[in-house]
Amino acid sequence: MDATEQARSLIAEGATTEDVLARLRQAGHDQSESRKALRESAGMTVWEARVAVFESETWSDVREETIRLEDAIWAALVEFGDEVETHADGSVTATFDLTQLGEREDDS
Protein backbone atom coordinates (compact mmCIF):
# COMPACT_ATOMS: atom_id res chain seq x y z
CA MET A 1 0.00 0.00 0.00
CA ASP A 2 1.41 3.42 -0.86
CA ALA A 3 1.75 6.14 1.76
CA THR A 4 -1.31 8.13 0.66
CA GLU A 5 -3.58 5.08 0.64
CA GLN A 6 -2.30 4.05 4.05
CA ALA A 7 -2.80 7.57 5.45
CA ARG A 8 -6.35 7.75 4.06
CA SER A 9 -7.20 4.43 5.66
CA LEU A 10 -5.74 5.45 9.02
CA ILE A 11 -7.51 8.82 8.99
CA ALA A 12 -10.80 7.11 8.15
CA GLU A 13 -10.25 4.94 11.25
CA GLY A 14 -9.78 8.10 13.36
CA ALA A 15 -5.99 8.07 13.68
CA THR A 16 -4.28 11.27 14.75
CA THR A 17 -1.67 12.93 12.56
CA GLU A 18 1.05 11.62 14.88
CA ASP A 19 -0.35 8.09 14.61
CA VAL A 20 -0.43 8.37 10.82
CA LEU A 21 3.18 9.56 10.71
CA ALA A 22 4.32 6.79 13.05
CA ARG A 23 2.62 4.10 10.98
CA LEU A 24 3.99 5.52 7.73
CA ARG A 25 7.52 5.55 9.12
CA GLN A 26 7.15 2.01 10.47
CA ALA A 27 6.07 0.96 6.97
CA GLY A 28 9.30 2.40 5.55
CA HIS A 29 8.01 5.68 4.14
CA ASP A 30 10.34 8.68 4.41
CA GLN A 31 9.57 12.27 5.42
CA SER A 32 8.88 13.37 1.86
CA GLU A 33 6.38 10.57 1.28
CA SER A 34 4.78 11.34 4.64
CA ARG A 35 4.36 15.03 3.77
CA LYS A 36 2.82 14.12 0.42
CA ALA A 37 0.48 11.61 2.07
CA LEU A 38 -0.72 14.25 4.55
CA ARG A 39 -1.34 16.74 1.75
CA GLU A 40 -3.29 14.25 -0.34
CA SER A 41 -5.19 12.45 2.41
CA ALA A 42 -5.75 15.13 5.07
CA GLY A 43 -6.04 18.15 2.78
CA MET A 44 -3.04 19.90 4.31
CA THR A 45 -1.11 22.57 2.45
CA VAL A 46 2.55 22.03 1.62
CA TRP A 47 3.51 24.16 4.62
CA GLU A 48 1.07 22.47 7.04
CA ALA A 49 2.33 19.01 6.05
CA ARG A 50 5.97 20.11 6.34
CA VAL A 51 5.38 21.52 9.84
CA ALA A 52 3.40 18.44 10.93
CA VAL A 53 6.23 16.11 9.92
CA PHE A 54 9.01 18.40 11.17
CA GLU A 55 7.43 18.92 14.60
CA SER A 56 6.25 15.34 15.04
CA GLU A 57 7.58 13.08 17.75
CA THR A 58 7.87 10.38 15.09
CA TRP A 59 10.57 12.27 13.18
CA SER A 60 12.16 14.10 16.14
CA ASP A 61 15.25 11.88 16.08
CA VAL A 62 16.28 13.31 12.69
CA ARG A 63 15.14 16.90 13.22
CA GLU A 64 18.65 18.42 13.36
CA GLU A 65 19.72 16.45 10.29
CA THR A 66 16.59 17.66 8.48
CA ILE A 67 17.40 21.27 9.35
CA ARG A 68 20.94 20.90 7.98
CA LEU A 69 19.69 19.27 4.79
CA GLU A 70 17.00 21.89 4.19
CA ASP A 71 19.52 24.68 4.82
CA ALA A 72 21.92 23.13 2.30
CA ILE A 73 19.17 22.75 -0.29
CA TRP A 74 18.03 26.33 0.23
CA ALA A 75 21.60 27.63 -0.06
CA ALA A 76 22.06 25.70 -3.33
CA LEU A 77 18.79 27.07 -4.72
CA VAL A 78 19.81 30.62 -3.88
CA GLU A 79 23.33 30.17 -5.23
CA PHE A 80 22.50 28.33 -8.46
CA GLY A 81 18.88 29.20 -9.17
CA ASP A 82 18.26 31.87 -11.76
CA GLU A 83 14.98 32.72 -10.07
CA VAL A 84 13.79 31.44 -6.68
CA GLU A 85 10.30 32.22 -5.42
CA THR A 86 8.68 31.26 -2.11
CA HIS A 87 4.90 31.00 -2.24
CA ALA A 88 2.34 31.70 0.49
CA ASP A 89 1.62 27.98 0.93
CA GLY A 90 5.29 27.32 1.76
CA SER A 91 6.21 25.82 -1.58
CA VAL A 92 9.24 27.05 -3.50
CA THR A 93 9.74 27.43 -7.24
CA ALA A 94 13.24 27.63 -8.66
CA THR A 95 14.25 27.96 -12.29
CA PHE A 96 17.62 27.07 -13.72
CA ASP A 97 19.04 28.05 -17.08
CA LEU A 98 20.94 24.88 -17.94
CA THR A 99 22.32 26.44 -21.11
CA GLN A 100 24.50 28.56 -18.82
CA LEU A 101 25.78 25.58 -16.82
CA GLY A 102 29.12 25.35 -18.62
CA GLU A 103 29.72 29.06 -18.15
CA ARG A 104 29.01 28.79 -14.42
CA GLU A 105 31.46 25.92 -14.04
CA ASP A 106 34.12 27.97 -15.88
CA ASP A 107 33.54 30.89 -13.47
CA SER A 108 34.31 28.72 -10.42
Side-chain angles (χ1 to χ4, degrees):
M1 180 180 304
D2 79 359
T4 299
E5 291 172 356
Q6 188 173 2
R8 278 193 185 114
S9 175
L10 291 166
I11 290 168
E13 295 170 7
T16 66
T17 299
E18 189 67 45
D19 292 336
V20 170
L21 292 173
R23 294 284 296 278
L24 291 176
R25 188 170 187 188
Q26 290 168 356
H29 299 289
D30 62 22
Q31 290 183 59
S32 178
E33 292 168 320
S34 296
R35 287 190 303 263
K36 181 180 179 200
L38 289 178
R39 289 192 329 268
E40 293 178 354
S41 65
M44 292 184 181
T45 65
V46 170
W47 182 254
E48 290 168 336
R50 183 216 172 270
V51 169
V53 171
F54 182 79
E55 293 183 353
S56 70
E57 181 62 32
T58 298
W59 290 101
S60 64
D61 63 313
V62 293
R63 189 170 291 135
E64 293 302 317
E65 181 180 340
T66 300
I67 290 169
R68 284 191 299 278
L69 177 61
E70 288 179 353
D71 286 349
I73 291 169
W74 185 253
L77 286 173
V78 170
E79 181 176 353
F80 298 110
D82 295 301
E83 185 176 323
V84 180
E85 183 177 354
T86 304
H87 305 283
D89 69 353
S91 63
V92 176
T93 303
T95 58
F96 299 87
D97 182 355
L98 298 179
T99 63
Q100 305 298 315
L101 187 57
E103 294 173 23
R104 288 183 185 162
E105 290 174 354
D106 293 340
D107 292 341
S108 304

